[in-house]
Amino acid sequence: MVAADWPGVDPEWSREIDVASTSAVDEPGTVRRWHLLDNGAQLTRRGLTPAGTLLCVHGNPTWSYLWRTLLGAGSDLAHPWRVVAVDQLDMGFSERTGTFRRLEDRINDLGDLTAALGLDGPVVTVGHDWGGVISLGWAVAHPQQLAGVVLTNTAVHQPSASRIPPALRLALHPAVHRWGTTTSDTFLRVTHSLAHPPLAADVRSAFMAPYRGADRRAGVGNFVADIPADASHPSFPTLSRVAEGVRGLGVPALMLWGPRDPIFSDRYLKDLISRLPDAKVHRFEGAGHLVAEDRDIAAPVFEWLAERGRDSEHGLQRTDAPADRQLLEYGAQPLEAGTGVPPLWAPLTALAAGPAAGDTAVAEMAADGSVARSLSWRELEQNIAALAAGLQEAGVGHGSRVSLMIPPGVDLTVVLYACLRLGAVVIVADAGLGTRGLSRAVKGATPDFLIGIDKALAAASVLGWPGRRISVRDLPATRRRLLAVETSLAALRRRGASPELPCRDPALVPDPDAPAAVLFTSGSTGPAKGVLYTHRQLAAMRDTVAATLGIRPGARLVAGFAPFALLGPALGAVSVTPAMDVTMPRTLTASALAAAAAAIDATVIFASPAALRNVLATQGGLSRTGHQALGRVELLLSAGAPVPEPLLAEVQRLLPRASLHTPYGMTEALPVTDISLEQIRAAGADAAAGTVAGAGNGVCVGWPVHGACLAVIPLAADGTAPGNSPVTEAGVTGEILVSAPHVKEAYDRLWLTQRESVRTAGWHRTGDVGHLDAAGRLWVEGRLVHVVTAPGAVVTPVGAEQAIERLDDVGMAGVVGVGQSGTQAVVAVVETVPPVRRAGPAVPHLAGRVRDAARAAGVSVSAVLAVPSQPTDIRHNAKIDRTRLSSWASKVLAGGRPGTP
């Protein structure tokens, strides 16, 4: 044992201690020798007093080396922590006892050790794998010393209806167990291979060091054999006792999780959250079983410790709750006096009980332009009430997570509002994320129920998505069994409408501050993030849209964008979904849009820029009736990506009576600002004339919406926004901040991301960059992660991209940085019109014109590349993936084969 050979370990930490054993497996008077990594002596030598002790317990087949980053970080803090990382008996460099130590013995062993060390508290336990169970067992037995718990990829409960993970079943198989865990080092090597990225050779060697030779691996085999696979196992009662004891710990908890884990998947995280509901949780997307190796866990652990005992998530300021009188006007009663806001569905309920009850409320279109299906306000209310009753009987209730995988239309509207009324949390992750992104989102959200069309249910079966499955329509018995479907929405509606079920009081509404929905971002700048909204925030979103855009009950909305299809009934607006693939906005044709508009005599249209482009491209097929229907539209909304003024001008000719608006927002806050076509033109004129300070360089997205405030955190020379003092001075470029009643509650199970987004108290940091002008308008210049740091200059991409896109032979343009931060070359990648046959360097005459256009916008372009089409996000078909584009451009400029970005 040579501590100097272990990368990342200070030899001073390594120590041994003799401990009197009280374990039933040992004879009375037995003394066991333990090995520890302990920075306590080092802190004493430096004259430092620790704030407390981290008691770190490894799993199988690792050892105390797993916690080396905590030891190093704990020693260097201004307010240091003692870190005691143990090698369990028969593991690491601790004594090989020759006994079979079960879970109860190991919990007892840890208690013997802490007694010998004299750990009086405050103690925060840290555990991984089966060390998590053992650390929690110690925590339950030592409440007086316990100050908190940290858990990484572990489990305390095996659901009776499911088997243990396949990898563990294999390791337990009699034909494999001894050879795989003890005779050979296979179990170790397989475990080490779970690191993402792979372990460095010297780190892998350090993890192997205590287990070289079969005689050193008996504990590895015994640990596997002690896995309580079912209730008959000797350690099952102890595991159950620990699992139930965790519920009463009453201390702060932090869970850091690697979801890419074939052993402790997200279902075990879900169980732990149910036992420690107030825990801070962060899932490191892409990390796996060895999350402490895959990601830096030391920084979040010590940040959490620094904030322990106070609220670490400073919520955005909210407006005062409306008086109960408003609830009464909508026919609803708050569950608790003074806490209510009109629920999201209040306008719907009012219309269903009023003179417009028989009018169409929601409709969906068929491919031939006819109305495929519709419900009146009364029928919609009745369907929602019946389905809510059926879902409640099936087990859906307050806090249940329900994943909805249904295209926008009648069915999705009914089930969404039924779930919200029950206090369930709806999970909305659309197919626009792509198969991989969608699967990642659903697994991470761990729904209790998954309600979907046949295609979604088939995907759930193949990809292993969690949740009890409910189909939209009744399925044949064979298919129902094949897809593991329990029931259908149709059956639940029938059951809910039957007189046998007691009627649910429609005046009861969920707590306004209870979770209501998890909506996933588009994933255009990294893995899609779940965004958690409360009922209060969804209601505030409804009220903001109504106040800003003037959409009131009686409006008639064509929703070519899924979120607005769902918001229609909440606004009291008749809503129709046109015939299109909502996961591909550019599939919306002019004829389909016109047919939907004609079906309800639409006054409002919402469509993404990509959808509008295809509508314009296909307008030649419009009939006279279609033109007339579009000619009656009063308001058009387009968002999801920048909307060029020339595109809006063309749309204006198609919708001559409509006021065209391009709200700016994001999944975390929708909308944030609003601007009309006339105001866009005025902003452009101000920028050209230089008459308004700060006008120009970017997309003008207008003024803050009702109830919202805006500011920026100025950019530093390295392209980051490190400050914490909001600025509203005209012309200062920085990260855009927003404060509003309808801003999200939190990122779901992304504590670190949430913490960063609210580190400026009272504001949400959007990740977008831009500036305000002297007229109070916001100009968006791109994403913070896409800022280019050229020599002596920080370049935001959107202003130059807009200038380049004004060229006749350029469609979409992307400006990216290539090279090291601070010395990056600015590269323009253009989608040509017509498309080039092959991606690569642009022809000289085009490259020259692109450089001139960028130079006019104040940006010096080093290279120009041309592509047939830009890589865009699936949901909007409009957001360029600049990260991917930059990587591709780097390869091309380095002499690699162009291929496609």
Side-chain angles (χ1 to χ4, degrees):
M1 181 176 69
V2 183
D5 293 338
W6 307 332
V9 171
D10 186 329
E12 187 178 1
W13 301 337
S14 180
R15 61 176 290 204
E16 293 182 324
I17 181 173
D18 290 332
V19 178
S21 174
T22 64
S23 175
V25 76
D26 287 330
E27 295 291 332
T30 300
V31 174
R32 298 297 186 190
R33 173 150 287 205
W34 290 67
H35 174 255
L36 317 172
L37 294 179
D38 179 1
N39 68 349
Q42 188 176 69
L43 295 179
T44 300
R45 178 174 55 77
R46 295 177 181 175
L48 301 173
T49 301
T53 301
L54 294 185
L55 179 61
C56 304
V57 189
H58 67 85
N60 187 33
T62 56
W63 57 288
S64 56
Y65 183 68
L66 182 71
W67 307 115
R68 63 195 182 281
T69 60
L70 292 178
L71 283 142
S75 302
D76 294 335
L77 294 171
H79 302 286
W81 280 73
R82 182 183 181 186
V83 180
V84 177
V86 309
D87 281 359
Q88 299 192 59
L89 293 176
D90 298 313
M91 302 292 288
F93 288 101
S94 285
E95 180 182 343
R96 284 352 187 217
T97 68
T99 61
F100 190 109
R101 310 185 87 80
R102 295 201 179 276
L103 178 59
E104 183 74 31
D105 301 314
R106 293 195 174 279
I107 294 171
N108 192 75
D109 289 340
L110 189 58
D112 291 340
L113 172 66
T114 57
L117 290 170
L119 296 187
D120 294 328
V123 175
V124 174
T125 61
V126 184
H128 173 252
D129 190 84
W130 289 104
V133 184
I134 295 162
S135 70
L136 288 172
W138 185 93
V140 169
H142 297 78
Q144 298 304 314
Q145 291 134 285
L146 187 69
V149 297
V150 177
L151 298 170
T152 64
N153 288 59
T154 186
V156 294
H157 175 67
Q158 178 62 40
S160 57
S162 61
R163 303 173 70 187
I164 63 172
L168 293 183
R169 292 203 302 271
L170 178 63
L172 282 166
H173 194 282
V176 175
H177 175 255
R178 181 169 177 76
W179 172 84
T181 62
T182 308
T183 306
S184 75
D185 60 7
T186 300
F187 190 75
L188 284 102
R189 292 185 181 278
V190 170
T191 301
H192 299 161
S193 73
L194 299 177
H196 306 288
L199 298 176
D202 56 350
V203 172
R204 189 168 58 249
S205 178
F207 271 117
M208 293 290 287
Y211 302 111
R212 299 195 185 280
D215 60 326
R216 302 283 300 170
R217 294 193 287 265
V220 175
N222 292 345
F223 238 127
V224 173
D226 196 43
I227 295 171
D230 54 48
S232 66
H233 192 281
S235 287
F236 189 84
T238 302
L239 181 65
S240 299
R241 174 175 56 79
V242 172
E244 290 309 307
V246 167
R247 298 186 190 276
L249 286 179
V251 296
L254 174 66
M255 301 179 194
L256 302 176
W257 209 263
R260 195 175 171 183
D261 187 347
I263 310 299
F264 298 113
S265 62
D266 279 301
R267 72 176 180 182
Y268 295 106
L269 174 61
K270 182 182 179 73
D271 174 74
L272 285 166
I273 292 173
S274 74
R275 297 170 194 277
L276 295 166
D278 295 324
K280 306 302 182 189
V281 180
H282 189 87
R283 296 171 69 257
F284 291 98
E285 200 60 65
H289 180 69
L290 296 175
V291 64
E293 297 297 319
D294 296 351
R295 298 293 186 271
D296 172 17
I297 69 163
V301 166
F302 288 109
E303 287 170 8
W304 172 75
L305 287 171
E307 296 176 354
R308 190 168 47 90
R310 70 177 187 272
D311 184 10
S312 64
E313 296 178 5
H314 303 289
L316 297 176
Q317 296 177 349
R318 298 193 181 107
T319 57
D320 291 335
D324 291 348
R325 177 179 54 78
Q326 289 180 279
L327 286 162
L328 293 171
E329 288 175 359
Y330 281 118
Q333 302 273 345
L335 293 181
E336 297 178 16
T339 64
V341 295
L344 189 66
W345 55 90
L348 183 163
T349 304
L351 285 165
D359 295 346
T360 297
V362 59
E364 57 190 60
M365 303 299 293
D368 64 0
S370 62
V371 176
R373 202 171 157 207
S374 67
L375 293 176
S376 69
W377 290 107
R378 182 185 298 111
E379 291 168 334
L380 178 59
E381 172 64 27
Q382 291 171 343
N383 273 258
I384 291 170
L387 183 58
L391 286 168
Q392 189 170 37
E393 188 186 43
V396 177
H398 176 74
S400 298
R401 289 191 159 214
V402 184
S403 178
L404 303 181
M405 296 198 161
I406 308 168
V410 173
D411 288 320
L412 181 58
T413 301
V414 171
V415 70
L416 173 81
Y417 285 95
C419 288
L420 289 175
R421 288 191 186 188
L422 292 172
V425 182
V426 294
I427 310 296
V428 182
D430 63 74
L433 298 178
T435 302
R436 185 177 176 185
L438 180 60
S439 187
R440 190 165 46 210
V442 174
K443 288 180 178 180
T446 58
D448 301 290
F449 295 85
L450 191 153
I451 304 176
I453 58 175
D454 289 12
K455 185 177 179 181
L457 295 170
S461 296
V462 172
L463 299 172
W465 293 345
R468 294 167 56 189
R469 296 173 196 163
I470 298 173
S471 60
V472 173
R473 61 187 180 90
D474 293 327
L475 298 178
T478 302
R479 184 156 182 79
R480 192 168 63 246
R481 286 193 299 271
L482 180 66
L483 298 177
V485 168
E486 296 184 14
T487 184
S488 69
L489 292 183
L492 291 173
R493 266 197 301 268
R494 292 192 295 269
R495 176 62 179 160
S498 71
E500 302 169 24
L501 284 186
C503 292
R504 185 178 181 277
D505 185 354
L508 294 178
V509 298
D511 179 348
D513 295 314
V518 176
L519 313 177
F520 276 84
T521 62
S522 67
S524 59
T525 55
K529 299 182 289 290
V531 178
L532 180 67
Y533 278 92
T534 64
H535 287 271
R536 185 187 303 275
Q537 289 152 351
L538 289 181
M541 183 190 299
R542 170 204 61 202
D543 297 341
T544 298
V545 169
T548 301
L549 301 172
I551 301 177
R552 296 280 189 268
R556 297 177 296 280
L557 168 68
V558 178
F561 187 54
F564 269 77
L566 300 176
L567 201 56
L571 291 164
V574 181
S575 57
V576 61
T577 305
M580 63 180 294
D581 181 348
V582 293
T583 68
M584 297 181 67
R586 58 174 156 241
T587 60
L588 179 63
T589 64
S591 295
L593 181 64
I600 60 169
D601 195 17
T603 58
V604 183
I605 289 176
F606 193 108
S608 74
L612 292 179
R613 283 190 177 93
N614 197 54
V615 166
L616 293 172
T618 58
Q619 64 180 310
L622 275 177
S623 64
R624 181 180 177 184
T625 303
H627 275 289
Q628 290 173 340
L630 295 178
R632 292 190 292 270
V633 173
E634 299 169 3
L635 174 65
L636 177 125
L637 308 171
S638 188
V643 189
E645 188 271 337
L647 175 66
L648 289 174
E650 287 189 65
V651 172
Q652 186 73 84
R653 288 190 283 274
L654 187 61
L655 281 68
R657 288 185 54 199
S659 176
L660 308 189
H661 286 248
T662 61
Y664 158 73
M666 57 218 65
T667 309
E668 298 88 339
L670 185 67
V672 172
T673 66
D674 179 53
I675 192 169
S676 69
L677 174 58
E678 292 76 18
Q679 291 166 338
I680 290 172
R681 286 170 171 160
D686 289 342
T691 54
V692 176
N697 188 30
V699 177
C700 185
V701 294
W703 291 267
V705 296
H706 178 76
C709 297
L710 296 174
V712 302
I713 297 292
L715 292 184
D718 63 356
T720 64
N724 227 17
S725 299
V727 170
T728 56
E729 181 184 343
V732 177
T733 294
E735 182 179 6
I736 298 168
L737 310 184
V738 59
S739 177
H742 61 284
V743 170
K744 58 123 172 83
E745 177 70 11
Y747 287 110
D748 189 45
R749 298 175 184 176
L750 292 168
W751 172 66
L752 289 171
T753 308
Q754 169 63 14
R755 188 173 178 274
E756 174 63 20
S757 76
V758 296
R759 67 181 171 91
T760 304
W763 298 89
H764 167 68
R765 299 183 68 130
T766 66
D768 286 343
V769 292
H771 66 275
L772 296 163
D773 67 18
R777 296 171 296 206
L778 178 66
W779 295 73
V780 176
E781 301 177 47
R783 291 286 293 171
L784 187 62
V785 294
H786 297 149
V787 169
V788 182
T789 53
V794 173
V795 178
T796 54
V798 171
E801 290 171 350
Q802 283 192 308
I804 295 167
E805 286 173 355
R806 294 191 188 100
L807 299 175
D808 293 340
D809 47 356
V810 172
M812 298 177 73
V815 170
V816 298
V818 171
Q820 296 296 315
S821 178
T823 60
Q824 288 184 316
V826 180
V827 178
V829 183
V830 297
E831 177 184 299
T832 60
V833 180
V836 293
R837 294 182 59 188
R838 204 173 278 184
V843 295
H845 76 275
L846 174 60
R849 293 170 60 239
V850 167
R851 285 191 176 93
D852 290 343
R855 191 178 300 112
V859 175
S860 177
V861 169
S862 299
V864 180
L865 304 177
V867 293
S869 62
Q870 297 279 16
T872 59
D873 66 302
I874 302 173
R875 178 183 290 177
H876 301 290
N877 300 149
K879 293 183 178 179
I880 295 175
D881 187 341
R882 294 189 185 92
T883 302
R884 181 173 161 189
L885 207 59
S886 175
S887 177
W888 173 80
S890 297
K891 294 176 183 176
V892 173
L893 296 175
R897 296 182 61 183
T900 55

